[in-house]
Amino acid sequence: METIRLLLVDDHTIFRAGIRVLLEMQPDFKVIGEAEEGEKALSLVRELQPEVVLMDIAMPGVDGLSAARRIKETAPMTKIILLTQHENKEYLQPALKIGAEGYVLKRAAADELVMAIRAVHQGKSFLDSNVTSTILAEYCQDVKNGTVTDNRQLSEREREILVMLARGYTNRQIAELLKISPKTVDFHRARIMKKLGIKGRVALAQYALRHGLVE
């Protein structure tokens, strides 16, 4: 069984201890380090090279979103799950924009966090069920307002790039995987946004989630 190497980042010592006990009950999980703030998390990512980082958003010093953004810049293959008490889009949208693979509420059930870790380790995205409900509510409102768009107008390559963007891949990563130039990726992204009538990486991610293009 493959072991998933985990780094815990939260400024509450008792919370970290509880999460560590929970995770180490799983035979395929190994907690290799802990940090109480973002700057230390960045250092430990470089030193320990965890596969998955579980990180709080609200922390003193370098907050979770800023730390996650910097981790994605320096260690793009590291998966990030943001653990938070916030379920509104003010926090969700920046999380999607920086490329975090998971977003789990601190009040979630233990098995949901375990599922999230395994999902992102396998290259999937994971949203807390309560957050998913919020997104679905927004989708229903879009239907009511008549603003839902049809992704069938996208080419196969455009749909492929849309999914990769929604999963948090950078233009450079997409270019390397598809063996095309970053400028070509940027060109396709611009065409996708024009065809769908939406702007920005966050909106693209939300669109893909709403239409079942990513899990």
Side-chain angles (χ1 to χ4, degrees), residues 62-146:
V62 178
D63 63 78
L65 289 175
S66 298
R69 184 181 298 108
R70 289 167 62 182
I71 288 171
K72 281 299 179 183
E73 291 172 352
T74 58
M77 300 309 294
T78 301
K79 311 298 183 183
I80 298 175
I81 297 175
L82 292 171
L83 284 172
T84 178
Q85 60 183 342
H86 304 290
E87 56 186 284
N88 54 35
K89 63 183 180 182
E90 293 178 8
Y91 289 89
L92 174 61
Q93 288 180 344
L96 293 174
K97 185 175 182 180
I98 63 178
E101 286 79 10
Y103 194 96
V104 179
L105 299 180
K106 287 187 173 181
R107 61 184 175 86
D111 59 349
E112 189 157 13
L113 178 57
V114 170
M115 288 171 54
I117 293 170
R118 292 192 176 126
V120 302
H121 183 253
Q122 294 171 5
K124 301 176 182 178
S125 299
F126 188 96
L127 282 180
D128 187 288
S129 57
N130 290 288
V131 176
T132 304
S133 297
T134 300
I135 291 175
L136 288 175
E138 291 179 358
Y139 173 74
C140 290
Q141 187 62 45
D142 287 344
V143 172
K144 183 178 179 180
N145 295 338

Side-chain angles (χ1 to χ4, degrees), residues 1-4 25-29 118 121:
M1 179 182 296
E2 184 179 2
T3 300
I4 303 174
M25 293 174 63
Q26 305 300 317
D28 54 334
F29 291 177
R118 292 192 176 126
H121 183 253

